[in-house]
Amino acid sequence: MQNKLAQPFYPRHGQYADAVVVVPPKEFQFNEQTAGDNEFQTPLSLTTETVQQRAMVEYERLVNGVREAGVTVIEFDYPLSETPTPDAVFPNNWFSTMADGRLITFPMASENRQVEVRPEALSTVLKQAGWAVQGVDTFSQYIAVEKYLESTGAMVMDHHAGVIYAALSQRCDETVLDEYAAHIGYETVPFRTSLPSGQSVYHTNVMMALGEAFCIICDEVIEPTQRRAVIERLMANKDVIHITIEQMNRFCGNVLVVITESGKPVIVLSQSAYEAFHPDQLQRLRQYGELLPIDVTTIEKIGGGSVRCMMAEVFLPRI
């Protein structure tokens, strides 16, 4: 494995990135390979052409909304391959970026999502946009032993505290999680979850989101023996906003805070999530940033992910 980072990874803007990578959904459709453990996916009786047209409209709505808010958006229009990549619109699952200039790639659980991992092409796009990629590290070797860790889908990070919160699942193996955490100098808070079906939450970032001073979490899905410890850890430095399973299913946990060029935090969430939050919860969130709801209904229903999944944070230094 690559050398451990000389210092823990602390972004230059603290918890928040000032730029995100997005990927157009030009092959978007219901992904049979991921549906087995993603209960948020719902097939719709629409033609592939209609689905992709609607998804593209929603993608452009996100890009335009985030840009108009004052946040840098880098579009990675990836090259097509022989294997379609229906979930490419969710790039935050296969890579992360580091403040020291490293791009890190991760082991994806589904074969058609493994095809999304294109570090060379992404590095070129990032460099052209003015960000310094000074090396690529990978954990993809774990695919050979069927162990997976799907980046910031599987991990929710508190950069101020140097802590990774992670719901263990098929897509979040504890061995890989521990190695990654040691690699960047962070501590882990792993826990197990159970949905009403008995299945685990497929990605941590659909049940929780972190800001510098707040946390959104559906803690009722955490195993009872671990729930109290997780919440107490969060309450040590966060305003904890509890959401229900119903709100989680409306993607209230799939929220990302980004920062504008002027240093203003913007809380990006879907229209579905915005409408599912209670008025008092929205009032609490407004203390921590401007709310930016975006309608991505088709992508949510068919893809089983929302706006946070559609944005991969850029913490790289500028050239």
Side-chain angles (χ1 to χ4, degrees):
M1 190 56 224
Q2 301 83 5
N3 294 331
K4 179 179 175 181
L5 298 184
Q7 297 178 352
F9 161 51
Y10 296 114
R12 64 184 182 278
H13 292 307
Q15 181 69 20
Y16 307 139
D18 59 356
V20 294
V21 170
V22 295
V23 176
K26 56 191 181 184
E27 297 180 292
F28 183 74
Q29 58 183 304
F30 185 83
N31 191 347
E32 297 284 355
Q33 292 188 18
T34 59
D37 67 341
N38 182 350
E39 294 189 6
F40 294 79
Q41 287 180 239
T42 305
L44 299 179
S45 300
L46 300 170
T47 66
T48 298
E49 182 181 10
T50 298
V51 166
Q52 291 177 353
Q53 287 175 346
R54 291 186 182 183
M56 191 62 72
V57 168
E58 293 172 3
Y59 164 81
E60 291 173 352
R61 188 180 292 140
L62 175 76
V63 170
N64 293 335
V66 174
R67 278 182 174 157
E68 288 172 6
V71 179
T72 300
V73 178
I74 303 165
E75 294 189 75
F76 176 41
D77 191 2
Y78 65 99
L80 297 178
S81 66
E82 293 182 3
T83 302
T85 53
D87 282 340
V89 71
F90 304 133
N92 80 305
N93 299 148
W94 70 262
F95 77 92
S96 68
T97 56
M98 315 294 286
D100 72 344
R102 298 196 201 192
L103 172 71
I104 299 185
T105 68
F106 292 86
M108 305 291 289
S110 301
E111 289 185 10
N112 62 13
R113 297 220 64 190
Q114 293 166 12
V115 179
E116 295 174 33
V117 182
R118 299 178 171 96
E120 294 81 10
L122 177 60
S123 294
T124 298
V125 170
L126 287 167
K127 290 175 181 177
Q128 290 173 344
W131 272 262
V133 180
Q134 297 169 348
V136 177
D137 293 351
T138 184
F139 288 79
S140 297
Q141 67 274 13
Y142 279 101
I143 292 174
V145 292
E146 298 183 350
K147 292 184 177 182
Y148 311 107
L149 182 68
E150 297 191 341
S151 191
T152 52
M155 300 178 287
V156 173
M157 301 189 188
D158 183 342
H159 294 304
H160 277 296
V163 176
I164 299 171
Y165 293 88
L168 301 176
S169 69
Q170 178 188 354
R171 308 195 200 187
C172 184
D173 180 85
E174 193 163 10
T175 299
V176 193
L177 172 68
D178 288 343
E179 182 167 342
Y180 174 73
H183 184 62
I184 67 170
Y186 275 33
E187 179 186 356
T188 63
V189 178
F191 51 87
R192 299 198 175 275
T193 60
S194 181
L195 296 168
S197 65
Q199 191 162 247
S200 300
V201 173
Y202 84 102
H203 272 164
T204 313
N205 76 357
V206 295
M207 60 161 289
M208 71 179 293
L210 287 178
E212 286 186 353
F214 75 92
C215 171
I216 301 167
I217 186 166
C218 180
D219 55 301
E220 63 182 286
V221 300
I222 300 175
E223 290 291 345
T225 56
Q226 299 177 303
R227 188 179 304 154
R228 181 175 178 180
V230 173
I231 294 301
E232 287 182 350
R233 183 64 182 269
L234 288 165
M235 289 180 66
N237 64 348
K238 307 290 181 190
D239 174 14
V240 178
I241 300 172
H242 300 271
I243 58 174
T244 64
I245 291 179
E246 181 181 359
Q247 289 178 306
M248 178 185 70
N249 290 339
R250 297 278 300 278
F251 294 100
C252 289
N254 201 243
V255 169
L256 181 66
V257 188
V258 286
I259 198 166
T260 68
E261 294 178 2
S262 61
K264 178 182 176 182
V266 177
I267 302 174
V268 189
L269 69 166
S270 73
Q271 186 66 35
S272 174
Y274 181 82
E275 293 172 0
F277 275 116
H278 302 313
D280 63 310
Q281 293 172 322
L282 292 174
Q283 184 176 358
R284 288 170 71 183
L285 284 173
R286 288 189 178 98
Q287 299 176 66
Y288 306 109
E290 176 189 351
L291 301 186
L292 179 60
I294 307 287
D295 185 354
V296 291
T297 304
T298 307
I299 291 173
E300 286 181 328
K301 288 183 176 179
I302 295 176
S306 189
V307 294
R308 194 278 169 266
C309 303
M310 295 172 67
M311 296 181 288
E313 297 145 291
V314 178
F315 290 116
L316 298 166
R318 293 185 183 267
I319 294 173

